[in-house]
Amino acid sequence: WMKYLPKPLGLMACNDMRGQQVLEACRAANINVPDDVGVVGVDNDEVLCDLSNPPLSSVQPNTERIGFEAAALLDELMSGKESPSAPISIEPKGVIARRSTEVLAIDDRQMAAAVRFLREHACDGIDVSDLLKAIPMSRSTLERRFVKLIGRPPKEEIMRMQLKRAKQLLAETNSSVEFIAEKIGFERAEYLSRIFKKKVGASPLQFRKQSRTAVEADRLPLPAHFPEIPAAS
């Protein structure tokens, strides 16, 4: 089915597991993701999405709002009110973008291959010389064409991708700065801290704290008439 669909196309799976199966089908059929097929799942199962190849973009449901509305509805039903006549729709928080949808429409096949190489290896500690080995051409030609199409030289694009991954790990995990530095291809945590401060305007730990504060502020309080659930002894 995937082979005969007109391309390029975007495909939304009903959940992350189905999305991963679509990625597997694309790989078996030699269909390039995301350039030929962009894939997005639902639920934002971080382990499943990050272990997919390529990592799977996914819709993040607003689970706290779902729980809040369900509790409020249950309270009304227990008070004798009738159930609503129509389903209650809860908007998701958004789409968590990963490589399965990072489509960049480039007619230049060499540059498309260069961008694909950076997406796959930017956090492996590579530099421009590694890119030139994968996409043979002179350094000046590569940089000129890269700036024309992407808007920045390859070295800056590698750094941008590394910092993007660092932000994700800082916001979503409790991993140490040392571990994150290693995961994005930096030799020393001190170098990551210095570059992060310069580019982002905050240290890695400050960024993590700000991200957590934003999440806390987004949490919904229970209605005043809801009794507080005692802590388990």
Side-chain angles (χ1 to χ4, degrees):
W1 177 62
M2 295 295 298
K3 285 181 179 179
Y4 299 109
L5 289 175
K7 300 174 183 64
L9 65 91
L11 190 148
M12 180 177 177
C14 60
N15 56 46
D16 292 334
M17 185 170 292
R18 288 297 188 195
Q20 187 185 49
Q21 291 172 342
V22 170
L23 295 178
E24 294 287 344
C26 287
R27 185 161 62 252
N30 293 317
I31 298 171
N32 186 270
V33 177
D35 297 315
D36 293 327
V37 177
V39 183
V40 60
V42 177
D43 288 334
N44 194 35
D45 182 327
E46 293 179 5
V47 174
L48 187 61
C49 290
D50 286 337
L51 289 178
S52 297
N53 185 20
L56 177 67
S57 296
S58 183
V59 177
Q60 182 176 17
N62 193 339
T63 51
E64 290 193 3
R65 169 65 74 175
I66 292 171
F68 180 91
E69 296 291 350
L73 177 58
L74 178 61
D75 182 60
E76 291 181 356
L77 293 174
M78 293 174 69
S79 298
K81 295 183 180 180
E82 293 186 2
S83 59
S85 57
I88 299 173
S89 298
I90 308 296
E91 290 188 5
K93 284 190 172 182
V95 176
I96 306 301
R98 298 181 178 88
R99 289 217 323 265
S100 70
T101 55
E102 287 184 352
V103 180
L104 190 59
I106 300 177
D107 292 331
D108 187 324
R109 296 183 67 85
Q110 281 187 307
M111 288 300 96
V115 172
R116 191 178 305 123
F117 180 84
L118 292 190
R119 283 176 181 163
E120 295 173 354
H121 301 288
C123 293
D124 294 343
I126 64 168
D127 57 23
V128 179
S129 63
D130 296 301
L131 179 57
L132 288 169
K133 292 175 184 176
I135 315 294
M137 67 176 68
S138 71
R139 186 172 185 132
S140 60
T141 300
L142 173 69
E143 295 194 346
R144 183 177 67 254
R145 289 165 65 179
F146 213 92
V147 169
K148 181 180 178 181
L149 290 168
I150 310 300
R152 51 189 164 266
K155 184 176 180 180
E156 287 187 16
E157 181 65 4
I158 293 171
M159 179 66 69
R160 186 191 70 83
M161 291 180 174
Q162 287 175 309
L163 292 180
K164 179 182 178 181
R165 178 60 174 160
K167 287 179 181 179
Q168 181 186 9
L169 291 171
L170 286 165
E172 298 178 2
T173 75
N174 292 318
S175 300
S176 67
V177 177
E178 290 77 10
F179 177 83
I180 292 173
E182 181 182 350
K183 291 293 288 183
I184 67 170
F186 281 32
E187 292 184 359
R188 299 186 306 278
E190 294 79 11
Y191 180 60
L192 170 60
S193 296
R194 185 167 70 252
I195 293 296
F196 200 94
K197 176 79 173 179
K198 180 180 178 181
K199 298 289 186 179
V200 181
S203 71
L205 294 182
Q206 287 172 336
F207 178 85
R208 169 174 280 164
K209 184 177 180 180
Q210 292 166 2
S211 300
R212 301 290 168 84
T213 300
V215 171
E216 290 291 334
D218 192 47
R219 287 182 175 169
L220 296 165
L222 286 172
H225 64 278
F226 273 27
E228 205 170 302
I229 300 174
S233 56

